[in-house]
Amino acid sequence: MKKVFLLVAVLTTALFAFKPVADSTWTADTAHSKIGFVVTHLMITDVEGSFKNFESTITSAKPDFSDAVVVLSADVNSVNTDNDKRDEHLKGADFFDAAKFPKLTFKSTSVKKVGGNKYKVAGNLTLHGVTKAVTLDATLRGVTTNPMSKKATAGFKVSGTIKRSDFGFGAKFPNAMLSDEVTLNANTEFVKN
């Protein structure tokens, strides 16, 4: 009987002492972040672009982000390649078809630490009305306290490659004109809420 009482007492104490780890939410500092892409034109030169308007969050209970959930949404009407005529064409039905599909989204399904500060981030990318699984390479460049805001800030560099044909993106333009492979890249700062 004493053993049962002792066991109940230990379990009760353990339950009251246990405090679940709270998730931390980090929000992209868009003034210090860039979400971009690169496509090869005529197979001889790279054209770079980015999205001016986007939002992203990371939710993680672990300080090394190995359990992170990443969510990103970008306004495709904010596409910017430093050429107004090309940007208008990209927003049209030949490419983003922004009137029908105004958002590009990504939500991670897993984050796997592969060594040191390197990660593989798997998730679902929705572009041009099509959702496909993609895997991105991410590097945690560091976590520091911003001396101005006094808030914890984390820096990430992300890259990956998708095929535009997988998303029906620019389908009438042959690969000799625009590469099927599109490189995705991001340099981002996230601020802990």
Side-chain angles (χ1 to χ4, degrees), residues 6-189:
L6 183 59
L7 180 60
V8 170
V10 168
L11 288 175
T12 303
T13 303
L15 285 173
F16 282 109
F18 175 74
K19 293 180 183 173
V21 176
D23 286 344
S24 294
T25 301
W26 300 70
T27 302
D29 175 357
T30 56
H32 297 100
S33 301
K34 187 173 184 178
I35 306 293
F37 60 89
V38 180
V39 64
T40 303
H41 182 247
L42 298 177
M43 308 320 293
I44 58 172
T45 189
D46 289 339
V47 174
E48 297 179 14
S50 63
F51 298 97
K52 290 182 178 180
N53 300 325
F54 65 92
E55 53 190 37
S56 184
T57 59
I58 297 173
T59 305
S60 179
K62 296 182 179 178
D64 70 351
F65 297 96
S66 59
D67 66 340
V69 175
V70 182
V71 177
L72 167 80
S73 176
D75 176 5
V76 297
N77 277 300
S78 71
V79 67
N80 178 26
T81 63
D82 293 326
N83 182 293
D84 292 342
K85 189 174 179 180
R86 178 172 52 223
D87 293 347
E88 286 306 313
H89 190 197
L90 286 172
K91 293 174 197 178
D94 285 343
F95 292 100
F96 285 109
D97 201 355
K100 276 172 114 173
F101 311 110
K103 296 283 183 190
L104 169 157
T105 62
F106 175 81
K107 182 169 184 185
S108 67
T109 53
S110 72
V111 173
K112 181 179 179 185
K113 194 169 186 179
V114 292
N117 59 346
K118 307 283 185 188
Y119 300 79
K120 291 284 185 186
V121 181
N124 293 314
L125 175 66
T126 300
L127 169 65
H128 196 243
V130 178
T131 301
K132 294 280 185 183
V134 299
T135 300
L136 305 172
D137 295 312
T139 302
L140 173 60
R141 299 186 67 191
V143 179
T144 190
T145 300
N146 183 321
M148 300 288 286
S149 69
K150 309 296 186 218
K151 292 188 175 184
T153 304
F156 293 90
K157 187 171 186 174
V158 181
S159 63
T161 304
I162 62 169
K163 290 188 175 185
R164 63 185 177 90
S165 58
D166 288 345
F167 296 88
F169 186 82
K172 72 181 196 179
F173 294 90
N175 293 347
M177 180 174 265
L178 292 175
S179 61
D180 191 29
E181 287 195 343
V182 178
T183 301
L184 307 178
N185 52 58
N187 281 293
T188 58
E189 284 187 16

